[in-house]
Amino acid sequence: MHTQVAIIGAGPAGLTLARMLHLQGISSIVLESREREYIETRTRAGVLEQPTVALVRDLGVSDRLDREGMSHNGFYLRFDRTTHHLDFHRLIGGHATVYAQQELVKDLVADRLSSGGPLHFDATVTAIENTSDRARLTVDHAGTPLEITADFVAGCDGFHGVSRAHIPGELLREHSRTYPVAWLGILARTAPTTPEGMYCAHENGLSVHSMRGPNITRQYLQVPVDTDLDDWSDEQIWDELAVRSASDDQPELERGEIFDRSLAPLRSYVCETMQHGRLFLLGDAAHIVPPTGAKGLNLAVSDASTLSFALGAFYAAGDRSHLDNYSATCLPRIWKAQQFSWTLTTTLHALSDDPTDWQLRRARLGRWAESEAEQSALGEVYLGLPFPTPWRFTG
Ligand code: RFL
Ligand code: PHB
């Protein structure tokens, strides 16, 4: 089996790339190690930046996103029992959209299958051979060995995938930072706490209050990284969410049935370079941001857009320069998102018992609450910096 581009992983990076290549007349095969149902129900991200939404519209797969996505002007910030609304729309224009990652994945899978594009589930790539004239992938497809050759390989296989290990160690510079905390996330049947998402900074730690619809909330608690999910009863989760979000200006948090819970440790990671020979890394395969600020999915889509443009230039005009510059083109935007996520993470979480740290964090929160200049600067990155290139090569 031969294809122009072999795509490893059917997450946001792999599926958006497959759609962009299809629209540019470039063939691809998507290989996903899990079953369809698993990737369509995995609870993860929820906040889409403006450039991500614009791209999904441009790709013609936004019908449900346009109907069901919740458009937000900014977010709420609560500390010292007081609520502040950061209205980025009023200050700089634009919106963020709340739409669950697995819903976007469902839309992209349905589109891929209905347009006849190859997408194989239960297909695990175990090795990539990167030679001068082609790449060769070894695949375990439901227990049957399969070999695929491709002009290029897009490693969209997430942080624990196989692709990154195929960049030679001597070329790889890894930037890694772990945090002593994780997010305990829940989905619950109850109305959203605030009309838009809210970050609450409390001396016990962060709580985040988001939503997935008029009667479903998504909420997170900062917990120690070695927490066992079973250590928390539903009542303890609600009690702690209530303590951290308590205010003097808004009603108390509503409680409801918790029907999903998960734990996600916080990590920052970037690998430089993001390419070697015919292999390109995208999304979580190349970088991880802590969830504070909601950048991960959006970075994955941004990388896909950059690679789509570069492949378009190669196939339409024989111009390899954009492929050669892929990593250098992606990295500045990735680092800006890293910086944003790190600033939000270190300001909103309680990461030490030192009272001086808390005063410094409060001072920064105070500036975010009182200064429109600070809010505009935050809003520019939160709503989404422009993607490095268009997704389509037009000559
Ligand atoms: P994915 O989504 O992990 O997809 C990778 C896919 O590759 C498959 N795979 C393989 N397939 C074949 N062969 C192999 N050898 C393979 N190895 C792996 C996997 O099964 C999988 O299907 O990576 P991608 O496409 O780079 O997308 C990244 C995003 O999923 C991730 O960054 C976000 O979910 C992060 N994130 C958030 N991002 C946002 O932009 N906004 C948010 O609001 C947001 N909130 C979050 C988040 C992540 C969270 N967790 C759980 C870490 C909230 C949380 C709690
Ligand atoms: C979410 O809605 O899942 C969400 C909201 C804000 C974040 C991360 C995730 O920073």
Side-chain angles (χ1 to χ4, degrees), residues 270-312:
V270 178
C271 82
E272 294 178 327
T273 167
M274 293 167 58
Q275 67 187 93
H276 176 59
R278 297 172 177 275
L279 171 66
F280 299 85
L281 302 183
L282 294 81
D284 281 14
H287 41 75
I288 294 282
V289 282
T292 341
K295 290 287 156 222
L297 175 158
N298 295 289
L299 283 179
V301 174
S302 169
D303 291 348
S305 161
T306 305
L307 187 61
S308 164
F309 177 82
L311 288 166

Side-chain angles (χ1 to χ4, degrees), residues 49-270:
E49 294 174 350
Q50 202 157 243
T52 301
V53 171
L55 177 94
V56 174
R57 288 200 178 121
D58 221 16
L59 300 182
V61 282
S62 68
D63 283 0
R64 218 156 59 86
L65 167 64
D66 286 330
R67 272 199 320 274
E68 298 174 18
M70 288 167 281
S71 180
H72 287 180
N73 293 338
F75 58 71
Y76 290 85
L77 194 59
R78 191 176 280 177
F79 62 99
D80 289 348
R81 302 185 65 90
T82 308
T83 314
H84 308 267
H85 186 220
L86 276 54
D87 188 339
F88 304 136
H89 178 71
R90 181 175 66 78
L91 293 169
I92 57 173
H95 294 101
T97 303
V98 174
Y99 188 65
Q101 174 168 329
Q102 67 269 31
E103 301 307 319
L104 183 64
V105 163
K106 272 185 209 159
D107 299 342
L108 289 161
V109 166
D111 167 78
R112 176 78 179 174
L113 295 176
S114 70
S115 65
L119 162 53
H120 301 289
F121 294 103
D122 200 359
T124 303
V125 176
T126 52
I128 306 164
E129 202 187 317
N130 202 341
T131 64
S132 59
D133 66 332
R134 58 173 39 183
R136 191 187 307 274
L137 276 68
T138 309
V139 186
D140 174 345
H141 191 197
T144 307
L146 196 72
E147 198 177 88
I148 292 177
T149 59
D151 299 345
F152 299 104
V153 180
C156 306
D157 47 351
F159 189 66
H160 302 288
V162 71
S163 304
R164 195 171 57 252
H166 287 83
I167 302 217
E170 64 275 18
L171 302 180
L172 196 64
R173 175 132 186 252
E174 295 181 286
H175 305 266
S176 182
R177 186 166 286 187
T178 54
Y179 302 83
V181 297
W183 277 22
L184 190 168
I186 60 158
L187 283 169
R189 282 183 230 290
T190 168
T193 316
T194 39
E196 302 187 344
M198 173 166 67
Y199 297 100
C200 301
H202 185 274
E203 47 189 359
N204 288 9
L206 169 76
S207 67
V208 183
H209 306 263
S210 185
M211 63 206 68
R212 292 293 183 267
N215 295 305
I216 306 278
T217 61
R218 176 84 170 133
Q219 308 193 48
Y220 301 97
L221 278 178
Q222 170 194 337
V223 293
V225 72
D226 55 5
T227 295
D228 186 335
L229 262 187
D230 296 333
D231 292 347
W232 288 77
S233 67
D234 288 1
E235 201 184 352
Q236 284 172 312
I237 293 175
W238 284 121
D239 287 347
E240 192 57 28
L241 285 166
V243 166
R244 296 190 193 177
S245 66
S247 79
D248 296 326
D249 53 28
Q250 298 292 321
E252 218 183 274
L253 191 69
E254 261 186 48
R255 302 181 181 209
E257 180 210 346
I258 295 176
F259 62 93
D260 182 284
R261 44 158 89 191
S262 59
L263 207 56
L266 268 58
R267 180 198 295 275
S268 303
Y269 176 89
V270 178

